[in-house]
Amino acid sequence: MPESSPPHRQPEVFPSAIDRWLILVVTVGPLIATAAGIHTWLHGNPNDAAMLFLAGAFALLLTLLFMLPCRYTLSDDTLAIRCGLIVFHVPVNEITDLRPTSTLLSGPALSLRRVEIKTRNRRYIVSPRDRERFISTLRAAANLPDA
C-alpha cells in the first residue's frame, strides 16, 4: 500500500485589524490637499488647484498601494504576510517564537494590537484582527509550546 502524505491544511486567511486613528492619518494629507485645491480654484488659480488635486490623489494612491490588502495567510508550511505590494513568505518551521505586543516598530500591521513573530534571522510585526486565534493557530502549525 502506498505511503500516504499528511492531509493538507486549507489556507487560512487572517485579515489585519485596522485602527481608526490610522485611517485619519492616511486620509488627512489628501483631504488637506483637496481643501487647498478647492480654495485655490475659487481664488482663480486653476493650474495650482489641479496640481494640489493631483498631489493629494497621488499621495492617497501610493499609500493605499502599500497598505491594502493587509492580511496573513497560513498554509501547510508557509505564513504569507501581505500588506499592499509588500509580501513576505515565512516558512512555518523557521518560526522560533511569537507573542502579543503593542510595539511601535514598523511592520505590515494596520493596528497597534500586534503580534511579534520571530525566526532565526528576523522578526515580523503583524496585526491580525483575531489575534488570539491567530497566535494559537500559528503556534500549533509551528509546533511551538503554549506560552
Side-chain angles (χ1 to χ4, degrees):
M1 193 164 184
E3 192 175 309
S4 64
S5 60
H8 288 288
R9 161 191 291 277
Q10 190 70 358
E12 191 168 357
V13 178
F14 296 87
S16 178
I18 303 174
D19 287 345
R20 288 188 180 113
W21 64 267
L22 183 62
I23 295 169
L24 179 65
V25 168
V26 167
T27 58
V28 75
L31 289 174
I32 289 172
T34 301
I38 291 169
H39 180 269
T40 304
W41 183 283
L42 293 174
H43 284 84
N45 297 314
N47 291 337
D48 293 341
M51 290 304 291
L52 285 165
F53 292 139
L54 285 173
F58 181 73
L60 183 61
L61 176 65
L62 194 60
T63 301
L64 294 177
L65 281 174
F66 286 96
M67 285 180 60
L68 299 176
C70 191
R71 63 179 178 242
Y72 320 107
T73 306
L74 181 60
S75 63
D76 282 334
D77 57 356
T78 304
L79 174 65
I81 300 171
R82 178 172 185 176
C83 201
L85 298 175
I86 301 167
V87 180
F88 299 103
H89 294 279
V90 181
V92 171
N93 63 356
E94 290 185 12
I95 296 173
T96 59
D97 192 25
L98 62 143
R99 65 181 180 88
T101 185
S102 55
T103 182
L104 294 175
L105 290 174
S106 178
L110 302 179
S111 172
L112 288 180
R113 195 167 185 270
R114 297 170 163 197
V115 175
E116 180 181 37
I117 301 168
K118 289 184 182 179
T119 66
R120 288 183 279 281
N121 302 319
R122 172 164 195 185
R123 72 176 154 187
Y124 302 88
I125 306 295
V126 298
S127 60
R129 188 179 304 147
D130 188 346
R131 183 166 73 167
E132 288 72 27
R133 189 169 68 81
F134 177 81
I135 289 172
S136 66
T137 304
L138 187 53
R139 265 192 195 288
N143 293 319
L144 296 175
D146 289 333

